[in-house]
Amino acid sequence: MEYREKDYLDNLKRKVEVPDIVWKKTEEALEQIQKQGKKKRTVFSRCRWTAGRAAAAAVAATLVLGTVTVGAMSLAGWHQNVADELEASEEQQTKLSGEGMVTDGTASAADNGITVESIQTIADSRYIYFWFKVINENPKIELTQNDTFRDFAIQVEGQDAGFGISGGSFEDTGEEGVYLCSYYGSFEREMEPGSIRVKADFNGISAYDNHLQETKTCQGTWNLEWDVQVGAAARNIEVKKEVPGYEPVTLDRLELSPISCTAYFEAWEGDAEEETPVLAGFRMRDGSIVTDFRGGPGMSSEENGIFKSSEGFAKVVDADDITGIFFIREDYADTGERELTESDMVEIALE
């Protein structure tokens, strides 16, 4: 029996108990599949585009309900590669989306047989994370996971995004000719929750030329522009406690979100750049310690007599479950030969 796509989805809804957000993402996945089909580029090897719109609806539902392939959306609507990188559970993904921190990809640009697509952006008032898909359909160029854009600039509302934008090499997705690249930055100023305009410009790719048998710059310019949602800090905590070993440095308060932490310290005599306690990790409600950070600025600045220091997380953290904050001991000597242990840190319990 064949269903029209609406009948298919309505029937599936009656049979499977799934949150409303999933059905929304199913419909979005359907639209994306149809667009990809028009490009005559097979993404899912077991799907025949000629099977019609009902088959496309079935594939869309399959993507969202759990049979995940490269480039698919996760159950909570995130791009699967993003969810894997941030180790975000389905509950965490849904929560961040609900708090207005997640924007699906809405921009793309093509040049010289290569397409760059924004697939997902995550942002709070301090930090912003970008993920892009790079699709190579140029037979003369072979991209690898070691390639990078030769030049890039990402701006937020016409201003440079934070203290700096950093990013790594292309990542292999397992799908032929398709790679991911991610970038990370911190805002120069605290952003208000809501929508901001982002512009990303990429120029040239370091790539291997199959004909010349050498690495050269693949010429091209890719300009993307889209709106990104910024979420607020999930938890604000007044601490008012001295940091052990750093007396008389007092931790005034904390701003916590699932992707970052900003610590505010009362002003003290001395060199704040040299003496500000360095954030090391958090104790979670279950007793575990999280020490995974993506990066700073890792510097302190003064605002109305208060010094602040921020760090972005390398994975999603449940801010409500944080019961303590760790700083690196002032007398810790970093030799770079081992990872931090609890004995290398001092802890402040949070109320």
Side-chain angles (χ1 to χ4, degrees), residues 41 109 113-119 131-137 143-144 147-149 169-171 173 175-183 202 205 222:
R41 183 172 59 86
I114 295 176
T115 300
V116 179
E117 297 179 356
S118 168
I119 60 171
W131 285 269
F132 298 92
K133 181 189 292 185
V134 181
I135 305 166
N136 179 26
E137 294 177 316
L143 297 184
T144 74
D147 294 336
T148 59
F149 287 108
S169 302
F170 294 171
E171 301 174 25
T173 65
E175 182 182 355
E176 184 177 359
V178 180
Y179 298 85
L180 292 180
C181 63
S182 60
Y183 294 86
F202 302 97
I205 297 176
W222 300 270

Side-chain angles (χ1 to χ4, degrees), residues 3 5 30 43 48 50 55 63 67 75 101 106 154 162 165 175-176 182-183 193 202 204-205 314-315 341:
Y3 297 102
E5 65 184 80
L30 168 61
V43 178
R48 293 183 59 197
T50 55
L63 284 178
T67 304
L75 183 63
M101 292 187 180
T106 57
I154 300 179
I165 287 290
E175 182 182 355
E176 184 177 359
S182 60
Y183 294 86
F202 302 97
I205 297 176
K315 68 178 183 180
T341 65

Side-chain angles (χ1 to χ4, degrees), residues 4 43 73 79 88 96 148 225 237 245 263 272 278 313 331 334 336:
R4 290 179 298 111
V43 178
M73 301 298 286
H79 191 280
L96 263 69
T148 59
E225 191 169 353
I237 308 171
V278 178
F313 301 149
D331 58 358
D334 185 7

Side-chain angles (χ1 to χ4, degrees), residues 26-296:
T26 298
E27 295 168 359
E28 293 174 355
L30 168 61
E31 293 177 2
Q32 183 65 24
I33 287 172
Q34 292 165 345
K35 291 178 182 178
Q36 297 291 356
K38 292 177 182 179
K39 293 180 182 179
K40 298 181 180 179
R41 183 172 59 86
T42 302
V43 178
F44 305 99
S45 60
R46 295 183 181 179
C47 168
R48 293 183 59 197
W49 300 113
T50 55
R53 293 172 62 84
V59 173
T62 301
L63 284 178
V64 180
L65 292 175
T67 304
V68 179
T69 57
V70 174
M73 301 298 286
S74 72
L75 183 63
W78 286 32
H79 191 280
Q80 189 62 47
N81 295 90
V82 176
D84 291 343
E85 180 177 335
L86 294 182
E87 300 180 26
S89 67
E90 293 166 2
E91 181 180 357
Q92 290 172 327
Q93 294 171 49
T94 301
K95 185 175 182 179
L96 263 69
S97 296
E99 292 175 349
M101 292 187 180
V102 183
T103 303
D104 292 339
T106 57
S108 66
D111 192 11
N112 200 14
I114 295 176
T115 300
V116 179
E117 297 179 356
S118 168
I119 60 171
Q120 208 139 58
T121 309
I122 300 177
D124 66 7
S125 61
R126 298 287 184 182
Y127 291 87
I128 187 165
Y129 304 74
F130 302 92
W131 285 269
F132 298 92
K133 181 189 292 185
V134 181
I135 305 166
N136 179 26
E137 294 177 316
N138 185 336
K140 297 181 179 180
I141 297 296
E142 179 184 348
L143 297 184
T144 74
Q145 61 182 7
N146 298 317
D147 294 336
T148 59
F149 287 108
R150 286 297 182 94
D151 184 39
F152 68 88
I154 300 179
Q155 293 184 320
V156 175
E157 296 186 329
Q159 302 295 321
D160 288 340
F163 300 97
I165 287 290
S166 60
S169 302
F170 294 171
E171 301 174 25
D172 190 359
T173 65
E175 182 182 355
E176 184 177 359
V178 180
Y179 298 85
L180 292 180
C181 63
S182 60
Y183 294 86
Y184 158 85
S186 56
F187 294 117
E188 289 183 343
R189 64 190 186 281
E190 183 176 0
M191 305 297 290
E192 294 294 330
S195 179
I196 59 174
R197 193 69 176 173
V198 170
K199 183 179 180 182
D201 299 314
F202 302 97
N203 291 285
I205 297 176
S206 172
Y208 187 77
D209 189 304
N210 288 325
H211 295 272
L212 299 179
Q213 298 292 301
E214 64 181 25
T215 299
K216 59 178 296 184
T217 298
C218 172
Q219 300 298 328
T221 300
W222 300 270
N223 305 121
L224 292 77
E225 191 169 353
W226 72 105
D227 291 325
V228 169
Q229 289 298 313
V230 174
R235 188 180 177 194
N236 290 279
I237 308 171
E238 184 175 302
V239 182
K240 300 290 186 182
K241 294 181 180 180
E242 290 188 350
V243 182
Y246 282 86
E247 287 85 357
V249 179
T250 298
L251 177 61
D252 182 71
R253 60 189 176 91
L254 289 172
E255 285 181 1
L256 295 167
S257 93
I259 63 171
S260 76
C261 169
T262 301
Y264 294 84
F265 303 93
E266 293 181 2
W268 68 93
E269 294 183 3
D271 187 345
E273 295 292 335
E274 296 293 333
E275 299 175 3
T276 300
V278 178
L279 183 65
F282 297 99
R283 188 182 299 279
M284 308 304 292
R285 197 175 305 279
D286 62 4
S288 62
I289 299 176
V290 175
T291 59
D292 299 321
F293 297 103
R294 188 172 292 262

